[in-house]
Amino acid sequence: NAGVMQNPRHLVRRRGQEARLRCSPMKGHSHVYWYRQLPEEGLKFMVYLQKENIIDESGMPKERFSAEFPKEGPSILRIQQVVRGDSAAYFCASSAGQTNTEAFFGQGTRLTVV
Amino acid sequence: KNEVEQSPQNLTAQEGEFITINCSYSVGISALHWLQQHPGGGIVSLFMLSSGKKKHGRLIATINIQEKHSSLHITASHPRDSAVYICAVSPNTGNQFYFGTGTSLTVIP
């Protein structure tokens, strides 16, 4: 799974700032999933993207959160005007197909809002 | 109610013990995944199963589709096996995984 690269690994933001989390999928993978892991909780689905398309964003908060996966470059999860409750680990996974094919996870980005 | 339930939540074992972690799910699935997460670390995919049994080193994963149940076994456990083990399922419909809350394993030397 070393092929899925997330950066930064750790991100500290003050309340009200923007956070940008990047995920480069494994080579040849065109499906990207973002998950959030709140402290002491399990992983929760946020959004599923294919190149240039958002397929399913049913897990995304309605405000302040957005995601993209452009034709070139990494997938970006963007959180505007961060609040303390956004502090979590954000994981990205990629696969060659839908989730019945093996997905590979990144190391995650740990966001701390101070 | 969660779509995926794991047990136990926490498990402490002596080095060398045989360990079993259980996962039950309530939805129709196309595959089940076992994941490993070390403290403060990323997530590693251990197995993907759609039927039967898989073995990798000291790890064995089994699944019973009719009973909607899977087990992860660790033989001859070692302190480096200490981690959180997460069960995740790919449902037949929809685009996401559903995750269990994880089993925190501590293996004592």
Side-chain angles (χ1 to χ4, degrees):
Chain A
N1 76 329
V4 179
M5 302 300 295
Q6 287 189 250
N7 67 81
R9 289 292 308 278
H10 300 275
L11 181 62
V12 179
R13 283 287 177 265
R14 295 189 184 278
R15 279 179 295 172
Q17 290 185 319
E18 178 179 287
R20 278 183 180 242
L21 288 62
R22 294 174 191 77
C23 170
S24 297
M26 281 190 70
K27 188 176 180 180
H29 285 188
S30 59
H31 298 248
V32 165
Y33 309 81
W34 284 95
Y35 296 88
R36 177 165 63 173
Q37 187 178 43
L38 292 167
E40 307 302 323
E41 293 188 22
L43 287 149
K44 300 292 183 188
F45 169 77
M46 298 184 77
V47 62
Y48 163 44
L49 308 106
Q50 293 182 29
K51 283 282 187 183
E52 299 186 274
N53 289 303
I54 297 173
I55 307 301
D56 183 350
E57 55 181 349
S58 58
M60 288 275 271
K62 292 286 184 270
E63 297 176 349
R64 301 188 297 108
F65 285 71
S66 62
E68 63 177 11
F69 188 15
K71 187 177 179 182
E72 301 291 337
S75 176
I76 306 285
L77 179 67
R78 183 181 176 208
I79 311 171
Q80 295 178 288
Q81 299 174 333
V82 295
V83 300
R84 288 229 170 101
D86 297 331
S87 296
Y90 292 83
F91 289 94
C92 161
S94 76
S95 69
Q98 288 191 321
T99 54
N100 59 347
T101 60
E102 192 164 7
F104 294 85
F105 284 80
Q107 291 286 308
T109 294
R110 296 186 185 278
L111 172 66
T112 302
V113 179
V114 298
Chain B
K1 185 184 183 300
N2 291 335
E3 291 83 1
V4 180
E5 299 281 352
Q6 279 185 244
S7 64
Q9 274 193 299
N10 298 285
L11 182 56
T12 300
Q14 291 288 335
E15 183 173 357
E17 283 186 11
F18 180 85
I19 287 161
T20 296
I21 300 170
N22 296 300
C23 174
S24 297
Y25 53 92
S26 58
V27 296
I29 68 169
S30 56
L32 181 143
H33 306 253
W34 281 102
L35 310 170
Q36 181 192 55
Q37 184 178 26
H38 281 99
I43 294 173
V44 174
S45 179
L46 299 174
F47 293 103
M48 184 184 72
L49 294 161
S50 53
S51 65
K53 177 180 173 178
K54 284 190 176 180
K55 184 174 188 294
H56 182 69
R58 295 180 295 106
L59 301 177
I60 302 166
T62 63
I63 188 168
N64 184 319
I65 296 291
Q66 287 72 32
E67 295 186 4
K68 294 186 173 169
H69 181 269
S70 175
S71 294
L72 176 68
H73 305 285
I74 305 175
T75 61
S77 59
H78 190 276
R80 64 174 175 265
D81 296 327
S82 298
V84 175
Y85 292 84
I86 302 167
C87 173
V89 300
S90 306
N92 285 328
T93 58
N95 299 304
Q96 58 174 291
F97 292 106
Y98 292 121
F99 295 90
T101 53
T103 294
S104 179
L105 171 65
T106 302
V107 181
I108 300 170

